[in-house]
Amino acid sequence: MKKIIYFLLFTTCITHTSCTMMIKGLVKKVVKHYDDHIDWNVSSFQLMDKNGKVKSFADVYAGKTVYLYTWADTSSRPPHDKDYNNLKARFAPYPDVVFVDLFIGSNEKAWLDFEKKKPGTDQYFLVKNGASEAFLSDLEGSTVVPFIIGKDGKMLAFKAPKPQDKILVDYVLFEAREGIDGTTSAKQLIKGVNSQQKFKTEALNNWYKQHFKVTEIDKLSFGVSSTQ
């Protein structure tokens, strides 16, 4: 996956207000798709564990904000690169945020065999039925992008910010804990940055300092990846 836009990275450009506005406009075109399907709720999705026991998504993740990857081939799990592990580490202080890999492939036996070789893990297989049909249909070619599910099972970010999108993914996931959809929070973050690569509001400054555990904020620099 290519990172198609690097927002607040090109310092020779963003020192000019007009150029900053142009970059913000391009970024907004990407983040507006985060709220695709926010009318969906996945609470009734049926998940099967490696022992064959079936539970609903709500049974397993009620009260949790879920950063979700789907995968369909046992030879290719979601991208657990250093950015993903770093994102997990930054959210370790938040017990209401969980990181989940959900298998959506058709070979149930291959998945069961694969999972039984990994003791101690709690991975699930998405049972294909009427409740998950629309979700699965829209996932074609999208098993390399994450999703964010709210505590009530609502889809808050469809094809959400990726782990490499530091600052943006952190803010969107942080705000999702309060049920705020990805497009709304992403636009709020983008709007809150000025042409000097600083946050305009004390609220954003305080969030950044507390979340990233710093006392001072240098110039902000973060990216927005393609949703494809």
mmCIF file with all atom_site columns, all heavy atoms in Angstrom, residues 171-196:
data_model
loop_
_atom_site.group_PDB
_atom_site.id
_atom_site.type_symbol
_atom_site.label_atom_id
_atom_site.label_alt_id
_atom_site.label_comp_id
_atom_site.label_asym_id
_atom_site.label_entity_id
_atom_site.label_seq_id
_atom_site.pdbx_PDB_ins_code
_atom_site.Cartn_x
_atom_site.Cartn_y
_atom_site.Cartn_z
_atom_site.occupancy
_atom_site.B_iso_or_equiv
_atom_site.pdbx_formal_charge
_atom_site.auth_seq_id
_atom_site.auth_comp_id
_atom_site.auth_asym_id
_atom_site.auth_atom_id
_atom_site.pdbx_PDB_model_num
ATOM 1   N N   . TYR A 1 171 ? -5.592  9.738  16.975 1.00 0.00 ? 171 TYR A N   1
ATOM 2   C CA  . TYR A 1 171 ? -6.699  10.626 17.347 1.00 0.00 ? 171 TYR A CA  1
ATOM 3   C C   . TYR A 1 171 ? -8.049  10.008 16.980 1.00 0.00 ? 171 TYR A C   1
ATOM 4   O O   . TYR A 1 171 ? -8.994  10.044 17.784 1.00 0.00 ? 171 TYR A O   1
ATOM 5   C CB  . TYR A 1 171 ? -6.545  11.979 16.666 1.00 0.00 ? 171 TYR A CB  1
ATOM 6   C CG  . TYR A 1 171 ? -7.520  13.012 17.196 1.00 0.00 ? 171 TYR A CG  1
ATOM 7   C CD1 . TYR A 1 171 ? -7.353  13.541 18.467 1.00 0.00 ? 171 TYR A CD1 1
ATOM 8   C CD2 . TYR A 1 171 ? -8.606  13.424 16.436 1.00 0.00 ? 171 TYR A CD2 1
ATOM 9   C CE1 . TYR A 1 171 ? -8.249  14.479 18.976 1.00 0.00 ? 171 TYR A CE1 1
ATOM 10  C CE2 . TYR A 1 171 ? -9.502  14.361 16.939 1.00 0.00 ? 171 TYR A CE2 1
ATOM 11  C CZ  . TYR A 1 171 ? -9.326  14.887 18.205 1.00 0.00 ? 171 TYR A CZ  1
ATOM 12  O OH  . TYR A 1 171 ? -10.219 15.809 18.712 1.00 0.00 ? 171 TYR A OH  1
ATOM 13  N N   . VAL A 1 172 ? -8.139  9.425  15.795 1.00 0.00 ? 172 VAL A N   1
ATOM 14  C CA  . VAL A 1 172 ? -9.402  8.808  15.371 1.00 0.00 ? 172 VAL A CA  1
ATOM 15  C C   . VAL A 1 172 ? -9.778  7.651  16.293 1.00 0.00 ? 172 VAL A C   1
ATOM 16  O O   . VAL A 1 172 ? -10.941 7.521  16.709 1.00 0.00 ? 172 VAL A O   1
ATOM 17  C CB  . VAL A 1 172 ? -9.311  8.340  13.904 1.00 0.00 ? 172 VAL A CB  1
ATOM 18  C CG1 . VAL A 1 172 ? -10.508 7.479  13.531 1.00 0.00 ? 172 VAL A CG1 1
ATOM 19  C CG2 . VAL A 1 172 ? -9.225  9.545  12.968 1.00 0.00 ? 172 VAL A CG2 1
ATOM 20  N N   . LEU A 1 173 ? -8.811  6.813  16.635 1.00 0.00 ? 173 LEU A N   1
ATOM 21  C CA  . LEU A 1 173 ? -9.098  5.688  17.525 1.00 0.00 ? 173 LEU A CA  1
ATOM 22  C C   . LEU A 1 173 ? -9.419  6.173  18.938 1.00 0.00 ? 173 LEU A C   1
ATOM 23  O O   . LEU A 1 173 ? -10.320 5.641  19.600 1.00 0.00 ? 173 LEU A O   1
ATOM 24  C CB  . LEU A 1 173 ? -7.896  4.733  17.550 1.00 0.00 ? 173 LEU A CB  1
ATOM 25  C CG  . LEU A 1 173 ? -8.044  3.437  18.354 1.00 0.00 ? 173 LEU A CG  1
ATOM 26  C CD1 . LEU A 1 173 ? -9.290  2.662  17.942 1.00 0.00 ? 173 LEU A CD1 1
ATOM 27  C CD2 . LEU A 1 173 ? -6.798  2.569  18.184 1.00 0.00 ? 173 LEU A CD2 1
ATOM 28  N N   . PHE A 1 174 ? -8.719  7.192  19.393 1.00 0.00 ? 174 PHE A N   1
ATOM 29  C CA  . PHE A 1 174 ? -8.985  7.762  20.715 1.00 0.00 ? 174 PHE A CA  1
ATOM 30  C C   . PHE A 1 174 ? -10.406 8.311  20.790 1.00 0.00 ? 174 PHE A C   1
ATOM 31  O O   . PHE A 1 174 ? -11.142 8.065  21.757 1.00 0.00 ? 174 PHE A O   1
ATOM 32  C CB  . PHE A 1 174 ? -7.972  8.871  21.008 1.00 0.00 ? 174 PHE A CB  1
ATOM 33  C CG  . PHE A 1 174 ? -8.082  9.467  22.381 1.00 0.00 ? 174 PHE A CG  1
ATOM 34  C CD1 . PHE A 1 174 ? -7.389  8.921  23.445 1.00 0.00 ? 174 PHE A CD1 1
ATOM 35  C CD2 . PHE A 1 174 ? -8.870  10.593 22.609 1.00 0.00 ? 174 PHE A CD2 1
ATOM 36  C CE1 . PHE A 1 174 ? -7.482  9.465  24.712 1.00 0.00 ? 174 PHE A CE1 1
ATOM 37  C CE2 . PHE A 1 174 ? -8.982  11.148 23.869 1.00 0.00 ? 174 PHE A CE2 1
ATOM 38  C CZ  . PHE A 1 174 ? -8.284  10.587 24.930 1.00 0.00 ? 174 PHE A CZ  1
ATOM 39  N N   . GLU A 1 175 ? -10.816 9.059  19.785 1.00 0.00 ? 175 GLU A N   1
ATOM 40  C CA  . GLU A 1 175 ? -12.156 9.646  19.762 1.00 0.00 ? 175 GLU A CA  1
ATOM 41  C C   . GLU A 1 175 ? -13.241 8.590  19.577 1.00 0.00 ? 175 GLU A C   1
ATOM 42  O O   . GLU A 1 175 ? -14.374 8.763  20.041 1.00 0.00 ? 175 GLU A O   1
ATOM 43  C CB  . GLU A 1 175 ? -12.250 10.701 18.650 1.00 0.00 ? 175 GLU A CB  1
ATOM 44  C CG  . GLU A 1 175 ? -11.433 11.953 18.925 1.00 0.00 ? 175 GLU A CG  1
ATOM 45  C CD  . GLU A 1 175 ? -12.015 12.781 20.048 1.00 0.00 ? 175 GLU A CD  1
ATOM 46  O OE1 . GLU A 1 175 ? -12.948 13.568 19.785 1.00 0.00 ? 175 GLU A OE1 1
ATOM 47  O OE2 . GLU A 1 175 ? -11.551 12.641 21.205 1.00 0.00 ? 175 GLU A OE2 1
ATOM 48  N N   . ALA A 1 176 ? -12.900 7.492  18.916 1.00 0.00 ? 176 ALA A N   1
ATOM 49  C CA  . ALA A 1 176 ? -13.871 6.404  18.732 1.00 0.00 ? 176 ALA A CA  1
ATOM 50  C C   . ALA A 1 176 ? -14.301 5.820  20.075 1.00 0.00 ? 176 ALA A C   1
ATOM 51  O O   . ALA A 1 176 ? -15.397 5.258  20.191 1.00 0.00 ? 176 ALA A O   1
ATOM 52  C CB  . ALA A 1 176 ? -13.275 5.307  17.855 1.00 0.00 ? 176 ALA A CB  1
ATOM 53  N N   . ARG A 1 177 ? -13.461 5.954  21.081 1.00 0.00 ? 177 ARG A N   1
ATOM 54  C CA  . ARG A 1 177 ? -13.816 5.491  22.422 1.00 0.00 ? 177 ARG A CA  1
ATOM 55  C C   . ARG A 1 177 ? -15.053 6.206  22.946 1.00 0.00 ? 177 ARG A C   1
ATOM 56  O O   . ARG A 1 177 ? -15.761 5.697  23.821 1.00 0.00 ? 177 ARG A O   1
ATOM 57  C CB  . ARG A 1 177 ? -12.647 5.705  23.383 1.00 0.00 ? 177 ARG A CB  1
ATOM 58  C CG  . ARG A 1 177 ? -11.395 4.911  22.987 1.00 0.00 ? 177 ARG A CG  1
ATOM 59  C CD  . ARG A 1 177 ? -10.158 5.340  23.762 1.00 0.00 ? 177 ARG A CD  1
ATOM 60  N NE  . ARG A 1 177 ? -10.321 5.138  25.180 1.00 0.00 ? 177 ARG A NE  1
ATOM 61  C CZ  . ARG A 1 177 ? -10.211 6.107  26.099 1.00 0.00 ? 177 ARG A CZ  1
ATOM 62  N NH1 . ARG A 1 177 ? -9.953  7.356  25.724 1.00 0.00 ? 177 ARG A NH1 1
ATOM 63  N NH2 . ARG A 1 177 ? -10.367 5.834  27.370 1.00 0.00 ? 177 ARG A NH2 1
ATOM 64  N N   . GLU A 1 178 ? -15.326 7.399  22.405 1.00 0.00 ? 178 GLU A N   1
ATOM 65  C CA  . GLU A 1 178 ? -16.513 8.168  22.795 1.00 0.00 ? 178 GLU A CA  1
ATOM 66  C C   . GLU A 1 178 ? -17.617 8.065  21.748 1.00 0.00 ? 178 GLU A C   1
ATOM 67  O O   . GLU A 1 178 ? -18.587 8.824  21.787 1.00 0.00 ? 178 GLU A O   1
ATOM 68  C CB  . GLU A 1 178 ? -16.131 9.635  22.995 1.00 0.00 ? 178 GLU A CB  1
ATOM 69  C CG  . GLU A 1 178 ? -15.065 9.865  24.060 1.00 0.00 ? 178 GLU A CG  1
ATOM 70  C CD  . GLU A 1 178 ? -15.506 9.375  25.436 1.00 0.00 ? 178 GLU A CD  1
ATOM 71  O OE1 . GLU A 1 178 ? -16.707 9.485  25.745 1.00 0.00 ? 178 GLU A OE1 1
ATOM 72  O OE2 . GLU A 1 178 ? -14.645 8.875  26.194 1.00 0.00 ? 178 GLU A OE2 1
ATOM 73  N N   . GLY A 1 179 ? -17.456 7.140  20.791 1.00 0.00 ? 179 GLY A N   1
ATOM 74  C CA  . GLY A 1 179 ? -18.498 6.918  19.791 1.00 0.00 ? 179 GLY A CA  1
ATOM 75  C C   . GLY A 1 179 ? -18.469 7.885  18.628 1.00 0.00 ? 179 GLY A C   1
ATOM 76  O O   . GLY A 1 179 ? -19.435 7.963  17.856 1.00 0.00 ? 179 GLY A O   1
ATOM 77  N N   . ILE A 1 180 ? -17.377 8.624  18.449 1.00 0.00 ? 180 ILE A N   1
ATOM 78  C CA  . ILE A 1 180 ? -17.273 9.604  17.363 1.00 0.00 ? 180 ILE A CA  1
ATOM 79  C C   . ILE A 1 180 ? -16.743 8.914  16.112 1.00 0.00 ? 180 ILE A C   1
ATOM 80  O O   . ILE A 1 180 ? -15.726 8.215  16.161 1.00 0.00 ? 180 ILE A O   1
ATOM 81  C CB  . ILE A 1 180 ? -16.354 10.770 17.770 1.00 0.00 ? 180 ILE A CB  1
ATOM 82  C CG1 . ILE A 1 180 ? -16.924 11.458 19.013 1.00 0.00 ? 180 ILE A CG1 1
ATOM 83  C CG2 . ILE A 1 180 ? -16.200 11.772 16.627 1.00 0.00 ? 180 ILE A CG2 1
ATOM 84  C CD1 . ILE A 1 180 ? -16.020 12.509 19.613 1.00 0.00 ? 180 ILE A CD1 1
ATOM 85  N N   . ASP A 1 181 ? -17.427 9.114  14.996 1.00 0.00 ? 181 ASP A N   1
ATOM 86  C CA  . ASP A 1 181 ? -17.020 8.431  13.763 1.00 0.00 ? 181 ASP A CA  1
ATOM 87  C C   . ASP A 1 181 ? -15.716 9.007  13.218 1.00 0.00 ? 181 ASP A C   1
ATOM 88  O O   . ASP A 1 181 ? -15.317 10.131 13.536 1.00 0.00 ? 181 ASP A O   1
ATOM 89  C CB  . ASP A 1 181 ? -18.120 8.500  12.709 1.00 0.00 ? 181 ASP A CB  1
ATOM 90  C CG  . ASP A 1 181 ? -18.293 9.893  12.120 1.00 0.00 ? 181 ASP A CG  1
ATOM 91  O OD1 . ASP A 1 181 ? -17.544 10.246 11.195 1.00 0.00 ? 181 ASP A OD1 1
ATOM 92  O OD2 . ASP A 1 181 ? -19.182 10.628 12.597 1.00 0.00 ? 181 ASP A OD2 1
ATOM 93  N N   . GLY A 1 182 ? -15.045 8.221  12.374 1.00 0.00 ? 182 GLY A N   1
ATOM 94  C CA  . GLY A 1 182 ? -13.717 8.551  11.899 1.00 0.00 ? 182 GLY A CA  1
ATOM 95  C C   . GLY A 1 182 ? -13.629 9.812  11.081 1.00 0.00 ? 182 GLY A C   1
ATOM 96  O O   . GLY A 1 182 ? -12.647 10.562 11.200 1.00 0.00 ? 182 GLY A O   1
ATOM 97  N N   . THR A 1 183 ? -14.618 10.064 10.230 1.00 0.00 ? 183 THR A N   1
ATOM 98  C CA  . THR A 1 183 ? -14.573 11.275 9.406  1.00 0.00 ? 183 THR A CA  1
ATOM 99  C C   . THR A 1 183 ? -14.688 12.519 10.268 1.00 0.00 ? 183 THR A C   1
ATOM 100 O O   . THR A 1 183 ? -13.952 13.492 10.083 1.00 0.00 ? 183 THR A O   1
ATOM 101 C CB  . THR A 1 183 ? -15.701 11.251 8.354  1.00 0.00 ? 183 THR A CB  1
ATOM 102 O OG1 . THR A 1 183 ? -15.454 10.196 7.429  1.00 0.00 ? 183 THR A OG1 1
ATOM 103 C CG2 . THR A 1 183 ? -15.758 12.566 7.592  1.00 0.00 ? 183 THR A CG2 1
ATOM 104 N N   . THR A 1 184 ? -15.585 12.495 11.228 1.00 0.00 ? 184 THR A N   1
ATOM 105 C CA  . THR A 1 184 ? -15.771 13.654 12.110 1.00 0.00 ? 184 THR A CA  1
ATOM 106 C C   . THR A 1 184 ? -14.507 13.970 12.888 1.00 0.00 ? 184 THR A C   1
ATOM 107 O O   . THR A 1 184 ? -14.051 15.118 12.933 1.00 0.00 ? 184 THR A O   1
ATOM 108 C CB  . THR A 1 184 ? -16.929 13.397 13.087 1.00 0.00 ? 184 THR A CB  1
ATOM 109 O OG1 . THR A 1 184 ? -18.142 13.226 12.350 1.00 0.00 ? 184 THR A OG1 1
ATOM 110 C CG2 . THR A 1 184 ? -17.103 14.567 14.055 1.00 0.00 ? 184 THR A CG2 1
ATOM 111 N N   . SER A 1 185 ? -13.913 12.957 13.502 1.00 0.00 ? 185 SER A N   1
ATOM 112 C CA  . SER A 1 185 ? -12.713 13.205 14.308 1.00 0.00 ? 185 SER A CA  1
ATOM 113 C C   . SER A 1 185 ? -11.516 13.578 13.445 1.00 0.00 ? 185 SER A C   1
ATOM 114 O O   . SER A 1 185 ? -10.715 14.443 13.822 1.00 0.00 ? 185 SER A O   1
ATOM 115 C CB  . SER A 1 185 ? -12.390 11.977 15.172 1.00 0.00 ? 185 SER A CB  1
ATOM 116 O OG  . SER A 1 185 ? -12.228 10.820 14.388 1.00 0.00 ? 185 SER A OG  1
ATOM 117 N N   . ALA A 1 186 ? -11.384 12.947 12.263 1.00 0.00 ? 186 ALA A N   1
ATOM 118 C CA  . ALA A 1 186 ? -10.265 13.269 11.379 1.00 0.00 ? 186 ALA A CA  1
ATOM 119 C C   . ALA A 1 186 ? -10.344 14.714 10.904 1.00 0.00 ? 186 ALA A C   1
ATOM 120 O O   . ALA A 1 186 ? -9.334  15.430 10.877 1.00 0.00 ? 186 ALA A O   1
ATOM 121 C CB  . ALA A 1 186 ? -10.247 12.315 10.188 1.00 0.00 ? 186 ALA A CB  1
ATOM 122 N N   . LYS A 1 187 ? -11.529 15.157 10.528 1.00 0.00 ? 187 LYS A N   1
ATOM 123 C CA  . LYS A 1 187 ? -11.687 16.540 10.079 1.00 0.00 ? 187 LYS A CA  1
ATOM 124 C C   . LYS A 1 187 ? -11.413 17.520 11.213 1.00 0.00 ? 187 LYS A C   1
ATOM 125 O O   . LYS A 1 187 ? -10.850 18.596 10.995 1.00 0.00 ? 187 LYS A O   1
ATOM 126 C CB  . LYS A 1 187 ? -13.095 16.753 9.517  1.00 0.00 ? 187 LYS A CB  1
ATOM 127 C CG  . LYS A 1 187 ? -13.297 16.129 8.142  1.00 0.00 ? 187 LYS A CG  1
ATOM 128 C CD  . LYS A 1 187 ? -14.683 16.431 7.589  1.00 0.00 ? 187 LYS A CD  1
ATOM 129 C CE  . LYS A 1 187 ? -14.838 15.898 6.176  1.00 0.00 ? 187 LYS A CE  1
ATOM 130 N NZ  . LYS A 1 187 ? -16.190 16.166 5.617  1.00 0.00 ? 187 LYS A NZ  1
ATOM 131 N N   . GLN A 1 188 ? -11.806 17.148 12.414 1.00 0.00 ? 188 GLN A N   1
ATOM 132 C CA  . GLN A 1 188 ? -11.543 18.004 13.565 1.00 0.00 ? 188 GLN A CA  1
ATOM 133 C C   . GLN A 1 188 ? -10.040 18.156 13.792 1.00 0.00 ? 188 GLN A C   1
ATOM 134 O O   . GLN A 1 188 ? -9.546  19.250 14.063 1.00 0.00 ? 188 GLN A O   1
ATOM 135 C CB  . GLN A 1 188 ? -12.192 17.419 14.817 1.00 0.00 ? 188 GLN A CB  1
ATOM 136 C CG  . GLN A 1 188 ? -11.974 18.248 16.077 1.00 0.00 ? 188 GLN A CG  1
ATOM 137 C CD  . GLN A 1 188 ? -12.667 17.662 17.287 1.00 0.00 ? 188 GLN A CD  1
ATOM 138 O OE1 . GLN A 1 188 ? -13.538 16.805 17.160 1.00 0.00 ? 188 GLN A OE1 1
ATOM 139 N NE2 . GLN A 1 188 ? -12.289 18.109 18.465 1.00 0.00 ? 188 GLN A NE2 1
ATOM 140 N N   . LEU A 1 189 ? -9.323  17.062 13.641 1.00 0.00 ? 189 LEU A N   1
ATOM 141 C CA  . LEU A 1 189 ? -7.873  17.097 13.812 1.00 0.00 ? 189 LEU A CA  1
ATOM 142 C C   . LEU A 1 189 ? -7.216  17.952 12.730 1.00 0.00 ? 189 LEU A C   1
ATOM 143 O O   . LEU A 1 189 ? -6.365  18.802 13.022 1.00 0.00 ? 189 LEU A O   1
ATOM 144 C CB  . LEU A 1 189 ? -7.310  15.685 13.763 1.00 0.00 ? 189 LEU A CB  1
ATOM 145 C CG  . LEU A 1 189 ? -5.798  15.560 13.987 1.00 0.00 ? 189 LEU A CG  1
ATOM 146 C CD1 . LEU A 1 189 ? -5.433  15.877 15.425 1.00 0.00 ? 189 LEU A CD1 1
ATOM 147 C CD2 . LEU A 1 189 ? -5.310  14.163 13.609 1.00 0.00 ? 189 LEU A CD2 1
ATOM 148 N N   . ILE A 1 190 ? -7.613  17.735 11.482 1.00 0.00 ? 190 ILE A N   1
ATOM 149 C CA  . ILE A 1 190 ? -7.033  18.483 10.366 1.00 0.00 ? 190 ILE A CA  1
ATOM 150 C C   . ILE A 1 190 ? -7.306  19.983 10.507 1.00 0.00 ? 190 ILE A C   1
ATOM 151 O O   . ILE A 1 190 ? -6.422  20.820 10.322 1.00 0.00 ? 190 ILE A O   1
ATOM 152 C CB  . ILE A 1 190 ? -7.596  17.960 9.031  1.00 0.00 ? 190 ILE A CB  1
ATOM 153 C CG1 . ILE A 1 190 ? -7.129  16.520 8.796  1.00 0.00 ? 190 ILE A CG1 1
ATOM 154 C CG2 . ILE A 1 190 ? -7.162  18.849 7.875  1.00 0.00 ? 190 ILE A CG2 1
ATOM 155 C CD1 . ILE A 1 190 ? -7.955  15.793 7.764  1.00 0.00 ? 190 ILE A CD1 1
ATOM 156 N N   . LYS A 1 191 ? -8.548  20.297 10.870 1.00 0.00 ? 191 LYS A N   1
ATOM 157 C CA  . LYS A 1 191 ? -8.926  21.697 11.052 1.00 0.00 ? 191 LYS A CA  1
ATOM 158 C C   . LYS A 1 191 ? -8.137  22.348 12.183 1.00 0.00 ? 191 LYS A C   1
ATOM 159 O O   . LYS A 1 191 ? -7.885  23.557 12.164 1.00 0.00 ? 191 LYS A O   1
ATOM 160 C CB  . LYS A 1 191 ? -10.424 21.786 11.348 1.00 0.00 ? 191 LYS A CB  1
ATOM 161 C CG  . LYS A 1 191 ? -10.977 23.193 11.434 1.00 0.00 ? 191 LYS A CG  1
ATOM 162 C CD  . LYS A 1 191 ? -12.471 23.174 11.686 1.00 0.00 ? 191 LYS A CD  1
ATOM 163 C CE  . LYS A 1 191 ? -13.015 24.594 11.809 1.00 0.00 ? 191 LYS A CE  1
ATOM 164 N NZ  . LYS A 1 191 ? -14.490 24.580 12.077 1.00 0.00 ? 191 LYS A NZ  1
ATOM 165 N N   . GLY A 1 192 ? -7.712  21.523 13.141 1.00 0.00 ? 192 GLY A N   1
ATOM 166 C CA  . GLY A 1 192 ? -7.032  22.063 14.314 1.00 0.00 ? 192 GLY A CA  1
ATOM 167 C C   . GLY A 1 192 ? -5.553  22.316 14.142 1.00 0.00 ? 192 GLY A C   1
ATOM 168 O O   . GLY A 1 192 ? -4.870  22.668 15.108 1.00 0.00 ? 192 GLY A O   1
ATOM 169 N N   . VAL A 1 193 ? -5.014  22.149 12.927 1.00 0.00 ? 193 VAL A N   1
ATOM 170 C CA  . VAL A 1 193 ? -3.590  22.377 12.682 1.00 0.00 ? 193 VAL A CA  1
ATOM 171 C C   . VAL A 1 193 ? -3.421  23.657 11.869 1.00 0.00 ? 193 VAL A C   1
ATOM 172 O O   . VAL A 1 193 ? -4.121  23.867 10.877 1.00 0.00 ? 193 VAL A O   1
ATOM 173 C CB  . VAL A 1 193 ? -2.977  21.184 11.925 1.00 0.00 ? 193 VAL A CB  1
ATOM 174 C CG1 . VAL A 1 193 ? -1.495  21.422 11.662 1.00 0.00 ? 193 VAL A CG1 1
ATOM 175 C CG2 . VAL A 1 193 ? -3.174  19.898 12.715 1.00 0.00 ? 193 VAL A CG2 1
ATOM 176 N N   . ASN A 1 194 ? -2.486  24.490 12.290 1.00 0.00 ? 194 ASN A N   1
ATOM 177 C CA  . ASN A 1 194 ? -2.277  25.748 11.570 1.00 0.00 ? 194 ASN A CA  1
ATOM 178 C C   . ASN A 1 194 ? -1.097  25.653 10.600 1.00 0.00 ? 194 ASN A C   1
ATOM 179 O O   . ASN A 1 194 ? -0.451  24.614 10.478 1.00 0.00 ? 194 ASN A O   1
ATOM 180 C CB  . ASN A 1 194 ? -2.088  26.923 12.550 1.00 0.00 ? 194 ASN A CB  1
ATOM 181 C CG  . ASN A 1 194 ? -0.842  26.768 13.413 1.00 0.00 ? 194 ASN A CG  1
ATOM 182 O OD1 . ASN A 1 194 ? 0.134   26.123 13.021 1.00 0.00 ? 194 ASN A OD1 1
ATOM 183 N ND2 . ASN A 1 194 ? -0.869  27.371 14.598 1.00 0.00 ? 194 ASN A ND2 1
ATOM 184 N N   . SER A 1 195 ? -0.804  26.732 9.920  1.00 0.00 ? 195 SER A N   1
ATOM 185 C CA  . SER A 1 195 ? 0.229   26.727 8.885  1.00 0.00 ? 195 SER A CA  1
ATOM 186 C C   . SER A 1 195 ? 1.645   26.659 9.457  1.00 0.00 ? 195 SER A C   1
ATOM 187 O O   . SER A 1 195 ? 2.605   26.469 8.712  1.00 0.00 ? 195 SER A O   1
ATOM 188 C CB  . SER A 1 195 ? 0.099   27.978 8.003  1.00 0.00 ? 195 SER A CB  1
ATOM 189 O OG  . SER A 1 195 ? 0.209   29.146 8.783  1.00 0.00 ? 195 SER A OG  1
ATOM 190 N N   . GLN A 1 196 ? 1.764   26.799 10.770 1.00 0.00 ? 196 GLN A N   1
ATOM 191 C CA  . GLN A 1 196 ? 3.077   26.661 11.416 1.00 0.00 ? 196 GLN A CA  1
ATOM 192 C C   . GLN A 1 196 ? 3.290   25.252 11.975 1.00 0.00 ? 196 GLN A C   1
ATOM 193 O O   . GLN A 1 196 ? 4.190   25.022 12.777 1.00 0.00 ? 196 GLN A O   1
ATOM 194 C CB  . GLN A 1 196 ? 3.235   27.683 12.555 1.00 0.00 ? 196 GLN A CB  1
ATOM 195 C CG  . GLN A 1 196 ? 3.492   29.108 12.087 1.00 0.00 ? 196 GLN A CG  1
ATOM 196 C CD  . GLN A 1 196 ? 2.240   29.743 11.517 1.00 0.00 ? 196 GLN A CD  1
ATOM 197 O OE1 . GLN A 1 196 ? 1.174   29.700 12.131 1.00 0.00 ? 196 GLN A OE1 1
ATOM 198 N NE2 . GLN A 1 196 ? 2.362   30.337 10.339 1.00 0.00 ? 196 GLN A NE2 1
#
